[in-house]
Structure formats: C-alpha cells, structure tokens
C-alpha cells in the first residue's frame, strides 16, 4: 500500500461509530495512524452546519473519510423516505463544504450501490450512473447519495479539490445493526436464524422470493479499500478525481454474487441450523440483481481478502459474544470495545421473547 498519507496527518473519520466508519478507524490504527479526529454526534452534530464549520475551522484535518449517513433496510427506507433524503443531504453538504474551507487535502465520500438504476446493465460499472430509473424502495436515500457524488465532482471541477466518491456494495461485519426493523438482509438473517435456534423453532421466514442476486463485502475489506484509495500516489489518485468529464467515482465490491436464498442457506450452515427456510412472497424483493463492476478498483492492485463464509463466521462470533476480538485472527485487526458491547446487547435482546416469532421476521 502506498503511503501518501503521513503517519502524523490529522484524519477526520465522520461516522466513526457506524459499521463503515468503525472499520476505517480499525484499519487506520492497524497501519499506525493515531492522530485521528473522532467525534460523537453529541460533540459535533453533522446536521448542524455551524457546528461542522466550527469543528473544521478549529481542527483543520488533513484528510477526511465521510462515512456518516442515515442508513437502513427496505422497511426503514419505505417508512421514512423524507428522513433519509433530508438528513443525508445535510450531512454531506455540511462536511464537504467545510472540508473545502479548511483546505482538506483529500476527502473520500462513502455512498452505496443503490445509486445505480434498478435495471442497470450487469455488472454495474461507474458509467451506469443516471442511466435509468432507480429502485423505488430506497429512491430517497439513493438520490441523496447521487447528490453527494455530484457535490464532490462539482468542487473538483470548480475548485481543484481532490474529493473521491467510493460506492461500496452491501456491507456487513463488526458492529452491524441487528434490529429487524431497520437492518439489512445479512445481519437480519443472522439474527433470525440465531433466534430460531434459541427458541427451538423449525422455520426461518425470509422476505421475498429468495431469487434476487446480491453481492456482499465484509466491512473490514471495505475499510482496507478506502484507505488504499486515499493513499494512492498523486498521479494515480488524479486519474480518479481530475477528469472534469468523468465523475470521481469508484465501485468497491467483492466481484461475486449469490441469491438471497443461497445466502440464507449459508447463514444456516455457519450457524448450524437445520430447519426450513420459508420465503414470504407477499413481501418485496427489491432490485432483481445487483453486482458491481469493481474492475477500476482492482486495476490499481486491490482485492478483497475475506470470503462470505468467513465473514459470516466472524460477524456471528461477535454477535453471539463467543469471541472477544473476532477479526484479529483474520486481518490482524482488533474489534472495538463499542462494537463488542453492541453485539452483546443484541444477543440480550433477541433472547427476550420467543412467544411469537412470526412477528419478528423482518428484513
């Protein structure tokens, strides 16, 4: 890995308690970066433009990872579309504008694969952006993320900044959200299968038909890619941010896919659950296929390290409280105290009520 970022550089990780942000912090610390600017929402509310502006003016970070966002699964996106678009637009605008005023050297903005059209050509390359209608269930979130890409691009064109937008595929990993009301599919499956085992149930219900194809990436692999990108030598980084005719956009994926049904089977295998998987076809499937073309990223020499089976084992070890530092043996990284506490809290919650499992089968 190139070392464009000096070890003593001031690095602001916005959203450092989330799935993506906490993984970036682990990666930076594993590489010897200790001058990290980490702020909770109580310390700096990223929705407050004055608070963000004051923070940047006082601290003047050299580099920024913008991993803060309001995120959620199908149910949360369907129920709270106004929150998803309004809050994400404010966070992005506040941080990116303040970064420019503070003369931040490089910024990496984290988006999502949902920016691409519902029926985009597969695998989805960066050139598929804005070529067709979006998936309706998360349209508000996707539009906000597209606006973030455009904001980075506009600042690069007008002010010569070096802001890059990285679009990860579906993430899972340490410190994930296991709330069935708002989680994504993989952590939801882990919790559902775990609860079925705990309660002695013989079935696990999964939303939809099980046929949609999805790509997954372990959060620590995503973090490795993000630090790799921001550390690229100047000429290589400029290839991604310096072309006024091309969005400063790079996909971050694993390059492999499987159906939701196959994913559910893998979770059952890893968790040693031999019951039946039931598909609730009255619930929405979402986009039929989502595989990202990450060849641009791969061309710079980066590749993921953690397989889906290994990733599920690591995530479940943390969730179930069986491992104190589950990722250490895989990538010589140490999980945070906060993420371990969240995992134990999740286990305590999911053991609380086995009376009516049908009410708790949401993705």
């Amino acid at each position: 890995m190139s070392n464009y970022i000096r070890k003593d550089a001031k690095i602001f990780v916005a959203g450092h308690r989330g799935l993506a942000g906490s993984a970036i912090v682990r990666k930076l610390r594993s590489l010897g970066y200790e001058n990290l600017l980490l702020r909770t929402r109580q310390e700096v509310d990223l929705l407050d433009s004055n608070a963000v502006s004051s923070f940047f003016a006082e601290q003047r970070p050299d580099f920024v990872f913008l991993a803060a966002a309001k995120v959620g699964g199908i149910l949360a996106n369907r129920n709270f579309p106004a929150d998803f678009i309004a809050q994400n637009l404010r966070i992005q605008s506040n941080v990116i504008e303040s970064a420019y005023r503070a003369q931040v050297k490089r910024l990496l903005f984290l988006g999502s694969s949902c920016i691409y059209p519902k029926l985009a050509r597969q695998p989805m390359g960066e050139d598929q952006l804005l070529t067709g209608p979006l998936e309706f269930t998360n349209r508000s979130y996707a539009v906000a993320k597209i606006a973030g890409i455009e904001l980075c691009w506009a600042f690069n064109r007008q002010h010569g900044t070096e802001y890059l937008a990285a679009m990860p595929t579906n993430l899972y990993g340490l410190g994930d959200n296991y709330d069935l009301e708002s989680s994504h599919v993989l952590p939801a499956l882990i919790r559902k299968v775990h609860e079925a085992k705990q309660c002695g149930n013989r079935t696990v219900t999964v939303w939809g038909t099980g046929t949609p194809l999805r790509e997954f990436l372990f959060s620590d692999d995503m973090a490795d890619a993000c630090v790799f990108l921001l550390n690229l030598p100047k000429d290589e980084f400029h290839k991604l941010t310096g072309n006024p005719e091309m969005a400063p956009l790079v996909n971050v994926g694993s390059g492999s896919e499987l159906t939701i049904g196959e994913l559910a089977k893998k979770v059952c295998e890893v968790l040693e659950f031999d019951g039946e998987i039931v598909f609730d076809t009255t619930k929405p499937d979402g986009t039929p296929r989502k595989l990202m073309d990450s060849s641009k990223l791969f061309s710079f020499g980066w590749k993921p390290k953690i397989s889906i089976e290994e990733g599920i084992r690591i995530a479940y070890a943390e969730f179930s409280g069986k491992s104190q530092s589950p990722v250490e043996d895989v990538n010589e990284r140490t999980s945070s105290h906060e993420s371990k506490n969240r995992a134990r809290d999740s286990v305590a919650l999911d053991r609380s009520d086995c009376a009516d499992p049908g009410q708790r089968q949401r993705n």
Side-chain angles (χ1 to χ4, degrees):
M1 180 181 289
S2 172
N3 289 308
Y4 178 86
I5 305 175
R6 292 165 52 102
K7 297 298 182 183
D8 61 350
K10 297 178 75 172
I11 304 172
F12 176 42
V13 182
H16 74 283
R17 285 182 162 180
L19 175 65
S22 62
I24 291 171
V25 170
R26 286 195 298 273
K27 182 60 184 179
L28 289 168
R29 285 178 171 161
S30 75
L31 295 174
Y33 295 103
E34 293 296 339
N35 196 5
L36 305 183
L37 302 176
L38 309 176
R39 298 292 187 273
T40 65
R41 183 170 183 174
Q42 290 70 35
E43 292 170 319
V44 180
D45 185 353
L46 299 181
L47 294 170
D48 183 338
S49 61
N50 290 329
V52 176
S53 180
S54 296
F55 167 75
F56 272 86
E58 292 168 5
Q59 297 297 327
R60 303 193 72 81
D62 299 305
F63 299 90
V64 172
F65 290 90
L66 178 44
K70 179 175 178 60
V71 299
I74 291 175
L75 187 66
N77 274 273
R78 186 182 69 185
N79 291 344
F80 307 106
D83 292 349
F84 276 91
I85 189 167
Q87 292 185 28
N88 283 302
L89 286 174
R90 286 163 64 190
I91 290 169
Q92 296 159 192
S93 296
N94 290 342
V95 172
I96 293 172
E97 289 179 25
S98 294
Y100 166 67
R101 288 194 294 269
Q103 298 181 317
V104 165
K105 295 175 182 176
R106 287 182 180 179
L107 177 146
L108 187 139
F109 165 64
L110 276 174
S112 166
S113 60
C114 69
I115 64 165
Y116 295 113
K118 179 177 181 177
L119 301 178
R121 184 185 69 240
Q122 301 289 328
M124 300 179 292
E126 292 85 353
D127 62 348
Q128 289 290 290
L129 182 66
L130 297 176
T131 58
L134 300 167
E135 163 60 42
F136 183 76
T137 53
N138 54 15
R139 175 183 170 84
S140 294
Y141 177 76
V143 168
K145 288 299 178 180
I146 292 170
I149 298 168
E150 185 63 36
L151 196 57
C152 290
W153 194 5
F155 269 87
N156 290 350
R157 296 198 309 270
Q158 183 173 337
H159 300 295
T161 53
E162 291 193 302
Y163 300 163
L164 177 64
M167 298 299 116
T169 189
N170 297 298
L171 297 178
Y172 69 102
L174 301 180
D176 213 336
N177 172 23
Y178 292 92
D179 180 355
L180 297 182
E181 297 291 332
S182 60
S183 63
H184 290 96
V185 61
L186 206 161
L189 285 171
I190 289 175
R191 178 166 179 172
K192 288 179 183 180
V193 174
H194 174 81
E195 287 187 344
K197 287 186 65 178
Q198 293 293 104
C199 299
N201 297 328
R202 296 302 302 157
T203 62
V204 170
T205 303
V206 178
W207 271 26
T209 64
T211 59
L213 287 159
R214 292 292 182 269
E215 176 185 24
F216 296 91
L217 185 68
F218 194 73
S219 58
D220 284 67
D221 268 342
M222 175 279 310
D224 185 60
C226 290
V227 176
F228 173 88
L229 284 166
L230 216 60
N231 245 329
L232 283 173
K234 189 171 184 178
D235 57 339
E236 293 190 350
F237 195 77
H238 190 70
K239 294 176 184 176
L240 298 172
T241 62
N243 186 345
E245 303 298 323
M246 182 177 70
L249 174 62
V250 59
N251 289 339
V252 180
S254 63
S256 60
E257 62 185 339
L258 71 170
T259 68
I260 296 299
E262 290 169 338
L263 177 67
K265 289 180 182 177
K266 285 186 181 294
V267 172
C268 289
E269 289 170 2
V270 172
L271 274 60
E272 299 180 345
F273 174 73
D274 60 0
E276 180 185 0
I277 300 169
V278 177
F279 295 99
D280 183 354
T281 58
T282 67
K283 298 296 191 296
D285 270 336
T287 306
R289 187 188 184 200
K290 284 178 69 176
L291 174 64
M292 300 180 75
D293 180 355
S294 298
S295 58
K296 181 188 291 187
L297 171 60
F298 296 164
S299 72
F300 288 98
W302 184 86
K303 289 290 177 66
K305 302 179 180 68
I306 302 173
S307 69
I308 185 70
E309 294 85 0
E310 188 175 14
I312 293 171
R313 288 190 194 97
I314 296 169
Y316 184 59
E318 185 205 34
F319 173 78
S320 61
K322 294 177 182 176
S323 173
Q324 292 301 302
S325 54
V327 85
E328 189 171 7
D329 294 336
V330 179
N331 279 348
E332 298 180 353
R333 305 182 184 99
T334 302
S335 65
S336 70
H337 178 69
E338 290 175 355
S339 64
K340 284 181 280 185
N341 283 344
R342 284 196 295 271
R344 284 193 284 269
D345 289 344
S346 296
V347 175
L349 283 170
D350 71 51
R351 289 173 180 161
S352 64
D353 184 9
C354 295
D356 189 357
Q359 292 180 359
R360 298 162 64 86
Q361 301 291 329
R362 299 177 181 174
N363 284 5

